[in-house]
Amino acid sequence: MNNVSLSYEAMQQKIQELEERNSFLENVLDTIPLNIFVKDNESRYCYTNKICDKMNGVERGGLLGKSDFDRNTPTEIAQSFQDDDSMIINTRTGSRLLTPEYCGDKVRYYNILKEPLIDNSDKVAGVLGVVVEAMANETPYSSAILENCEGMFFDYNIATGKS
């Protein structure tokens, strides 16, 4: 049987190690050049990286606790996002959406790749999403980069739009 009790100094050291690791992981997620978000089981944002906040035109952490209905998304699109999140949570299956977003007076299309976020108890804790802008032909996510990444994004080829 393991001795579970730790000295105060050992606990302080472990806490410091965990805080450093957490800070490192947060920096990695914020530095990844993709729009990444996590929603809870009620389709409310519980994590967004810096690019996600910037793409949505909010201050750092400005989406936390909000749903797509709260972020000035047209009702039909917000409802489709919420329906998609519910489907992912209930079926434990990911989705791939090509969806319009209003950016000022223009409409841009985005590939939204979402997967269920499974916790340590094998329960769905929410939805993990990655948003990639879908531009014509030449994009930051096309050609050689995508060929090298084939299969990385949930077994989904962003270049061809097929799984």
mmCIF file with all atom_site columns, all heavy atoms in Angstrom, residues 47-66:
data_model
loop_
_atom_site.group_PDB
_atom_site.id
_atom_site.type_symbol
_atom_site.label_atom_id
_atom_site.label_alt_id
_atom_site.label_comp_id
_atom_site.label_asym_id
_atom_site.label_entity_id
_atom_site.label_seq_id
_atom_site.pdbx_PDB_ins_code
_atom_site.Cartn_x
_atom_site.Cartn_y
_atom_site.Cartn_z
_atom_site.occupancy
_atom_site.B_iso_or_equiv
_atom_site.pdbx_formal_charge
_atom_site.auth_seq_id
_atom_site.auth_comp_id
_atom_site.auth_asym_id
_atom_site.auth_atom_id
_atom_site.pdbx_PDB_model_num
ATOM 1   N N   . TYR A 1 47 ? -13.834 27.439 -22.833 1.00 0.00 ? 47 TYR A N   1
ATOM 2   C CA  . TYR A 1 47 ? -12.440 27.748 -23.154 1.00 0.00 ? 47 TYR A CA  1
ATOM 3   C C   . TYR A 1 47 ? -12.381 28.271 -24.586 1.00 0.00 ? 47 TYR A C   1
ATOM 4   O O   . TYR A 1 47 ? -13.025 27.728 -25.487 1.00 0.00 ? 47 TYR A O   1
ATOM 5   C CB  . TYR A 1 47 ? -11.513 26.528 -23.042 1.00 0.00 ? 47 TYR A CB  1
ATOM 6   C CG  . TYR A 1 47 ? -10.131 26.885 -23.527 1.00 0.00 ? 47 TYR A CG  1
ATOM 7   C CD1 . TYR A 1 47 ? -9.244  27.564 -22.696 1.00 0.00 ? 47 TYR A CD1 1
ATOM 8   C CD2 . TYR A 1 47 ? -9.734  26.634 -24.839 1.00 0.00 ? 47 TYR A CD2 1
ATOM 9   C CE1 . TYR A 1 47 ? -8.007  27.966 -23.154 1.00 0.00 ? 47 TYR A CE1 1
ATOM 10  C CE2 . TYR A 1 47 ? -8.484  27.025 -25.295 1.00 0.00 ? 47 TYR A CE2 1
ATOM 11  C CZ  . TYR A 1 47 ? -7.627  27.693 -24.456 1.00 0.00 ? 47 TYR A CZ  1
ATOM 12  O OH  . TYR A 1 47 ? -6.401  28.097 -24.914 1.00 0.00 ? 47 TYR A OH  1
ATOM 13  N N   . THR A 1 48 ? -11.605 29.325 -24.785 1.00 0.00 ? 48 THR A N   1
ATOM 14  C CA  . THR A 1 48 ? -11.290 29.821 -26.120 1.00 0.00 ? 48 THR A CA  1
ATOM 15  C C   . THR A 1 48 ? -9.827  30.230 -26.106 1.00 0.00 ? 48 THR A C   1
ATOM 16  O O   . THR A 1 48 ? -9.329  30.735 -25.087 1.00 0.00 ? 48 THR A O   1
ATOM 17  C CB  . THR A 1 48 ? -12.143 31.048 -26.496 1.00 0.00 ? 48 THR A CB  1
ATOM 18  O OG1 . THR A 1 48 ? -11.957 32.070 -25.520 1.00 0.00 ? 48 THR A OG1 1
ATOM 19  C CG2 . THR A 1 48 ? -13.621 30.699 -26.595 1.00 0.00 ? 48 THR A CG2 1
ATOM 20  N N   . ASN A 1 49 ? -9.124  30.004 -27.221 1.00 0.00 ? 49 ASN A N   1
ATOM 21  C CA  . ASN A 1 49 ? -7.756  30.494 -27.262 1.00 0.00 ? 49 ASN A CA  1
ATOM 22  C C   . ASN A 1 49 ? -7.757  31.934 -27.783 1.00 0.00 ? 49 ASN A C   1
ATOM 23  O O   . ASN A 1 49 ? -8.796  32.487 -28.135 1.00 0.00 ? 49 ASN A O   1
ATOM 24  C CB  . ASN A 1 49 ? -6.842  29.562 -28.065 1.00 0.00 ? 49 ASN A CB  1
ATOM 25  C CG  . ASN A 1 49 ? -7.148  29.523 -29.544 1.00 0.00 ? 49 ASN A CG  1
ATOM 26  O OD1 . ASN A 1 49 ? -8.122  30.086 -30.036 1.00 0.00 ? 49 ASN A OD1 1
ATOM 27  N ND2 . ASN A 1 49 ? -6.298  28.848 -30.290 1.00 0.00 ? 49 ASN A ND2 1
ATOM 28  N N   . LYS A 1 50 ? -6.585  32.559 -27.805 1.00 0.00 ? 50 LYS A N   1
ATOM 29  C CA  . LYS A 1 50 ? -6.490  33.970 -28.181 1.00 0.00 ? 50 LYS A CA  1
ATOM 30  C C   . LYS A 1 50 ? -7.026  34.231 -29.582 1.00 0.00 ? 50 LYS A C   1
ATOM 31  O O   . LYS A 1 50 ? -7.684  35.234 -29.829 1.00 0.00 ? 50 LYS A O   1
ATOM 32  C CB  . LYS A 1 50 ? -5.043  34.443 -28.087 1.00 0.00 ? 50 LYS A CB  1
ATOM 33  C CG  . LYS A 1 50 ? -4.550  34.603 -26.683 1.00 0.00 ? 50 LYS A CG  1
ATOM 34  C CD  . LYS A 1 50 ? -3.106  35.065 -26.662 1.00 0.00 ? 50 LYS A CD  1
ATOM 35  C CE  . LYS A 1 50 ? -2.595  35.131 -25.242 1.00 0.00 ? 50 LYS A CE  1
ATOM 36  N NZ  . LYS A 1 50 ? -1.172  35.507 -25.197 1.00 0.00 ? 50 LYS A NZ  1
ATOM 37  N N   . ILE A 1 51 ? -6.740  33.324 -30.523 1.00 0.00 ? 51 ILE A N   1
ATOM 38  C CA  . ILE A 1 51 ? -7.202  33.519 -31.900 1.00 0.00 ? 51 ILE A CA  1
ATOM 39  C C   . ILE A 1 51 ? -8.721  33.467 -31.966 1.00 0.00 ? 51 ILE A C   1
ATOM 40  O O   . ILE A 1 51 ? -9.354  34.248 -32.672 1.00 0.00 ? 51 ILE A O   1
ATOM 41  C CB  . ILE A 1 51 ? -6.553  32.490 -32.846 1.00 0.00 ? 51 ILE A CB  1
ATOM 42  C CG1 . ILE A 1 51 ? -5.071  32.801 -32.981 1.00 0.00 ? 51 ILE A CG1 1
ATOM 43  C CG2 . ILE A 1 51 ? -7.229  32.482 -34.202 1.00 0.00 ? 51 ILE A CG2 1
ATOM 44  C CD1 . ILE A 1 51 ? -4.297  31.840 -33.838 1.00 0.00 ? 51 ILE A CD1 1
ATOM 45  N N   . CYS A 1 52 ? -9.335  32.570 -31.224 1.00 0.00 ? 52 CYS A N   1
ATOM 46  C CA  . CYS A 1 52 ? -10.799 32.480 -31.199 1.00 0.00 ? 52 CYS A CA  1
ATOM 47  C C   . CYS A 1 52 ? -11.391 33.794 -30.714 1.00 0.00 ? 52 CYS A C   1
ATOM 48  O O   . CYS A 1 52 ? -12.325 34.321 -31.319 1.00 0.00 ? 52 CYS A O   1
ATOM 49  C CB  . CYS A 1 52 ? -11.241 31.322 -30.315 1.00 0.00 ? 52 CYS A CB  1
ATOM 50  S SG  . CYS A 1 52 ? -13.022 31.078 -30.249 1.00 0.00 ? 52 CYS A SG  1
ATOM 51  N N   . ASP A 1 53 ? -10.846 34.328 -29.635 1.00 0.00 ? 53 ASP A N   1
ATOM 52  C CA  . ASP A 1 53 ? -11.352 35.606 -29.121 1.00 0.00 ? 53 ASP A CA  1
ATOM 53  C C   . ASP A 1 53 ? -11.177 36.708 -30.165 1.00 0.00 ? 53 ASP A C   1
ATOM 54  O O   . ASP A 1 53 ? -12.094 37.495 -30.409 1.00 0.00 ? 53 ASP A O   1
ATOM 55  C CB  . ASP A 1 53 ? -10.630 35.989 -27.826 1.00 0.00 ? 53 ASP A CB  1
ATOM 56  C CG  . ASP A 1 53 ? -11.018 35.103 -26.659 1.00 0.00 ? 53 ASP A CG  1
ATOM 57  O OD1 . ASP A 1 53 ? -12.051 34.411 -26.751 1.00 0.00 ? 53 ASP A OD1 1
ATOM 58  O OD2 . ASP A 1 53 ? -10.287 35.101 -25.660 1.00 0.00 ? 53 ASP A OD2 1
ATOM 59  N N   . LYS A 1 54 ? -10.010 36.754 -30.773 1.00 0.00 ? 54 LYS A N   1
ATOM 60  C CA  . LYS A 1 54 ? -9.733  37.792 -31.771 1.00 0.00 ? 54 LYS A CA  1
ATOM 61  C C   . LYS A 1 54 ? -10.664 37.656 -32.971 1.00 0.00 ? 54 LYS A C   1
ATOM 62  O O   . LYS A 1 54 ? -11.210 38.644 -33.463 1.00 0.00 ? 54 LYS A O   1
ATOM 63  C CB  . LYS A 1 54 ? -8.276  37.712 -32.226 1.00 0.00 ? 54 LYS A CB  1
ATOM 64  C CG  . LYS A 1 54 ? -7.873  38.824 -33.152 1.00 0.00 ? 54 LYS A CG  1
ATOM 65  C CD  . LYS A 1 54 ? -6.400  38.777 -33.470 1.00 0.00 ? 54 LYS A CD  1
ATOM 66  C CE  . LYS A 1 54 ? -6.057  39.951 -34.375 1.00 0.00 ? 54 LYS A CE  1
ATOM 67  N NZ  . LYS A 1 54 ? -4.647  39.982 -34.714 1.00 0.00 ? 54 LYS A NZ  1
ATOM 68  N N   . MET A 1 55 ? -10.866 36.440 -33.455 1.00 0.00 ? 55 MET A N   1
ATOM 69  C CA  . MET A 1 55 ? -11.741 36.213 -34.607 1.00 0.00 ? 55 MET A CA  1
ATOM 70  C C   . MET A 1 55 ? -13.188 36.611 -34.300 1.00 0.00 ? 55 MET A C   1
ATOM 71  O O   . MET A 1 55 ? -13.933 36.975 -35.199 1.00 0.00 ? 55 MET A O   1
ATOM 72  C CB  . MET A 1 55 ? -11.701 34.748 -35.048 1.00 0.00 ? 55 MET A CB  1
ATOM 73  C CG  . MET A 1 55 ? -10.373 34.278 -35.582 1.00 0.00 ? 55 MET A CG  1
ATOM 74  S SD  . MET A 1 55 ? -9.949  34.985 -37.159 1.00 0.00 ? 55 MET A SD  1
ATOM 75  C CE  . MET A 1 55 ? -11.180 34.259 -38.204 1.00 0.00 ? 55 MET A CE  1
ATOM 76  N N   . ASN A 1 56 ? -13.574 36.519 -33.040 1.00 0.00 ? 56 ASN A N   1
ATOM 77  C CA  . ASN A 1 56 ? -14.932 36.884 -32.645 1.00 0.00 ? 56 ASN A CA  1
ATOM 78  C C   . ASN A 1 56 ? -15.030 38.333 -32.174 1.00 0.00 ? 56 ASN A C   1
ATOM 79  O O   . ASN A 1 56 ? -16.105 38.775 -31.748 1.00 0.00 ? 56 ASN A O   1
ATOM 80  C CB  . ASN A 1 56 ? -15.442 35.929 -31.562 1.00 0.00 ? 56 ASN A CB  1
ATOM 81  C CG  . ASN A 1 56 ? -15.836 34.594 -32.145 1.00 0.00 ? 56 ASN A CG  1
ATOM 82  O OD1 . ASN A 1 56 ? -16.880 34.478 -32.761 1.00 0.00 ? 56 ASN A OD1 1
ATOM 83  N ND2 . ASN A 1 56 ? -14.990 33.598 -31.982 1.00 0.00 ? 56 ASN A ND2 1
ATOM 84  N N   . GLY A 1 57 ? -13.910 39.047 -32.208 1.00 0.00 ? 57 GLY A N   1
ATOM 85  C CA  . GLY A 1 57 ? -13.911 40.460 -31.863 1.00 0.00 ? 57 GLY A CA  1
ATOM 86  C C   . GLY A 1 57 ? -14.231 40.760 -30.419 1.00 0.00 ? 57 GLY A C   1
ATOM 87  O O   . GLY A 1 57 ? -14.882 41.756 -30.118 1.00 0.00 ? 57 GLY A O   1
ATOM 88  N N   . VAL A 1 58 ? -13.769 39.877 -29.514 1.00 0.00 ? 58 VAL A N   1
ATOM 89  C CA  . VAL A 1 58 ? -14.026 40.097 -28.089 1.00 0.00 ? 58 VAL A CA  1
ATOM 90  C C   . VAL A 1 58 ? -12.709 40.208 -27.331 1.00 0.00 ? 58 VAL A C   1
ATOM 91  O O   . VAL A 1 58 ? -11.663 39.776 -27.807 1.00 0.00 ? 58 VAL A O   1
ATOM 92  C CB  . VAL A 1 58 ? -14.880 38.951 -27.475 1.00 0.00 ? 58 VAL A CB  1
ATOM 93  C CG1 . VAL A 1 58 ? -16.236 38.883 -28.133 1.00 0.00 ? 58 VAL A CG1 1
ATOM 94  C CG2 . VAL A 1 58 ? -14.164 37.618 -27.552 1.00 0.00 ? 58 VAL A CG2 1
ATOM 95  N N   . GLU A 1 59 ? -12.774 40.806 -26.148 1.00 0.00 ? 59 GLU A N   1
ATOM 96  C CA  . GLU A 1 59 ? -11.617 40.864 -25.251 1.00 0.00 ? 59 GLU A CA  1
ATOM 97  C C   . GLU A 1 59 ? -11.245 39.437 -24.862 1.00 0.00 ? 59 GLU A C   1
ATOM 98  O O   . GLU A 1 59 ? -12.077 38.525 -24.939 1.00 0.00 ? 59 GLU A O   1
ATOM 99  C CB  . GLU A 1 59 ? -11.973 41.648 -23.988 1.00 0.00 ? 59 GLU A CB  1
ATOM 100 C CG  . GLU A 1 59 ? -12.324 43.090 -24.225 1.00 0.00 ? 59 GLU A CG  1
ATOM 101 C CD  . GLU A 1 59 ? -11.113 43.992 -24.223 1.00 0.00 ? 59 GLU A CD  1
ATOM 102 O OE1 . GLU A 1 59 ? -10.139 43.666 -23.518 1.00 0.00 ? 59 GLU A OE1 1
ATOM 103 O OE2 . GLU A 1 59 ? -11.141 45.000 -24.936 1.00 0.00 ? 59 GLU A OE2 1
ATOM 104 N N   . ARG A 1 60 ? -10.037 39.251 -24.382 1.00 0.00 ? 60 ARG A N   1
ATOM 105 C CA  . ARG A 1 60 ? -9.577  37.921 -23.962 1.00 0.00 ? 60 ARG A CA  1
ATOM 106 C C   . ARG A 1 60 ? -10.550 37.365 -22.933 1.00 0.00 ? 60 ARG A C   1
ATOM 107 O O   . ARG A 1 60 ? -10.845 37.992 -21.920 1.00 0.00 ? 60 ARG A O   1
ATOM 108 C CB  . ARG A 1 60 ? -8.167  38.025 -23.370 1.00 0.00 ? 60 ARG A CB  1
ATOM 109 C CG  . ARG A 1 60 ? -7.571  36.695 -23.033 1.00 0.00 ? 60 ARG A CG  1
ATOM 110 C CD  . ARG A 1 60 ? -7.169  35.957 -24.310 1.00 0.00 ? 60 ARG A CD  1
ATOM 111 N NE  . ARG A 1 60 ? -6.630  34.664 -23.963 1.00 0.00 ? 60 ARG A NE  1
ATOM 112 C CZ  . ARG A 1 60 ? -7.273  33.525 -24.179 1.00 0.00 ? 60 ARG A CZ  1
ATOM 113 N NH1 . ARG A 1 60 ? -8.455  33.517 -24.758 1.00 0.00 ? 60 ARG A NH1 1
ATOM 114 N NH2 . ARG A 1 60 ? -6.744  32.385 -23.836 1.00 0.00 ? 60 ARG A NH2 1
ATOM 115 N N   . GLY A 1 61 ? -11.109 36.176 -23.229 1.00 0.00 ? 61 GLY A N   1
ATOM 116 C CA  . GLY A 1 61 ? -12.068 35.521 -22.343 1.00 0.00 ? 61 GLY A CA  1
ATOM 117 C C   . GLY A 1 61 ? -13.486 36.046 -22.478 1.00 0.00 ? 61 GLY A C   1
ATOM 118 O O   . GLY A 1 61 ? -14.357 35.659 -21.705 1.00 0.00 ? 61 GLY A O   1
ATOM 119 N N   . GLY A 1 62 ? -13.733 36.891 -23.476 1.00 0.00 ? 62 GLY A N   1
ATOM 120 C CA  . GLY A 1 62 ? -15.035 37.525 -23.635 1.00 0.00 ? 62 GLY A CA  1
ATOM 121 C C   . GLY A 1 62 ? -16.169 36.597 -24.017 1.00 0.00 ? 62 GLY A C   1
ATOM 122 O O   . GLY A 1 62 ? -17.338 36.971 -23.904 1.00 0.00 ? 62 GLY A O   1
ATOM 123 N N   . LEU A 1 63 ? -15.859 35.384 -24.473 1.00 0.00 ? 63 LEU A N   1
ATOM 124 C CA  . LEU A 1 63 ? -16.907 34.428 -24.849 1.00 0.00 ? 63 LEU A CA  1
ATOM 125 C C   . LEU A 1 63 ? -17.261 33.472 -23.712 1.00 0.00 ? 63 LEU A C   1
ATOM 126 O O   . LEU A 1 63 ? -18.269 32.770 -23.797 1.00 0.00 ? 63 LEU A O   1
ATOM 127 C CB  . LEU A 1 63 ? -16.475 33.597 -26.061 1.00 0.00 ? 63 LEU A CB  1
ATOM 128 C CG  . LEU A 1 63 ? -16.357 34.336 -27.385 1.00 0.00 ? 63 LEU A CG  1
ATOM 129 C CD1 . LEU A 1 63 ? -15.823 33.398 -28.469 1.00 0.00 ? 63 LEU A CD1 1
ATOM 130 C CD2 . LEU A 1 63 ? -17.699 34.897 -27.807 1.00 0.00 ? 63 LEU A CD2 1
ATOM 131 N N   . LEU A 1 64 ? -16.425 33.437 -22.697 1.00 0.00 ? 64 LEU A N   1
ATOM 132 C CA  . LEU A 1 64 ? -16.618 32.452 -21.630 1.00 0.00 ? 64 LEU A CA  1
ATOM 133 C C   . LEU A 1 64 ? -17.991 32.589 -20.979 1.00 0.00 ? 64 LEU A C   1
ATOM 134 O O   . LEU A 1 64 ? -18.418 33.687 -20.629 1.00 0.00 ? 64 LEU A O   1
ATOM 135 C CB  . LEU A 1 64 ? -15.513 32.564 -20.582 1.00 0.00 ? 64 LEU A CB  1
ATOM 136 C CG  . LEU A 1 64 ? -14.093 32.360 -21.113 1.00 0.00 ? 64 LEU A CG  1
ATOM 137 C CD1 . LEU A 1 64 ? -13.082 32.426 -19.977 1.00 0.00 ? 64 LEU A CD1 1
ATOM 138 C CD2 . LEU A 1 64 ? -13.962 31.059 -21.878 1.00 0.00 ? 64 LEU A CD2 1
ATOM 139 N N   . GLY A 1 65 ? -18.691 31.466 -20.880 1.00 0.00 ? 65 GLY A N   1
ATOM 140 C CA  . GLY A 1 65 ? -20.014 31.434 -20.280 1.00 0.00 ? 65 GLY A CA  1
ATOM 141 C C   . GLY A 1 65 ? -21.137 31.813 -21.228 1.00 0.00 ? 65 GLY A C   1
ATOM 142 O O   . GLY A 1 65 ? -22.298 31.765 -20.861 1.00 0.00 ? 65 GLY A O   1
ATOM 143 N N   . LYS A 1 66 ? -20.783 32.182 -22.457 1.00 0.00 ? 66 LYS A N   1
ATOM 144 C CA  . LYS A 1 66 ? -21.803 32.601 -23.423 1.00 0.00 ? 66 LYS A CA  1
ATOM 145 C C   . LYS A 1 66 ? -22.088 31.481 -24.420 1.00 0.00 ? 66 LYS A C   1
ATOM 146 O O   . LYS A 1 66 ? -21.273 30.600 -24.635 1.00 0.00 ? 66 LYS A O   1
ATOM 147 C CB  . LYS A 1 66 ? -21.328 33.841 -24.183 1.00 0.00 ? 66 LYS A CB  1
ATOM 148 C CG  . LYS A 1 66 ? -21.166 35.038 -23.270 1.00 0.00 ? 66 LYS A CG  1
ATOM 149 C CD  . LYS A 1 66 ? -20.727 36.253 -24.029 1.00 0.00 ? 66 LYS A CD  1
ATOM 150 C CE  . LYS A 1 66 ? -20.615 37.432 -23.064 1.00 0.00 ? 66 LYS A CE  1
ATOM 151 N NZ  . LYS A 1 66 ? -20.103 38.612 -23.739 1.00 0.00 ? 66 LYS A NZ  1
#
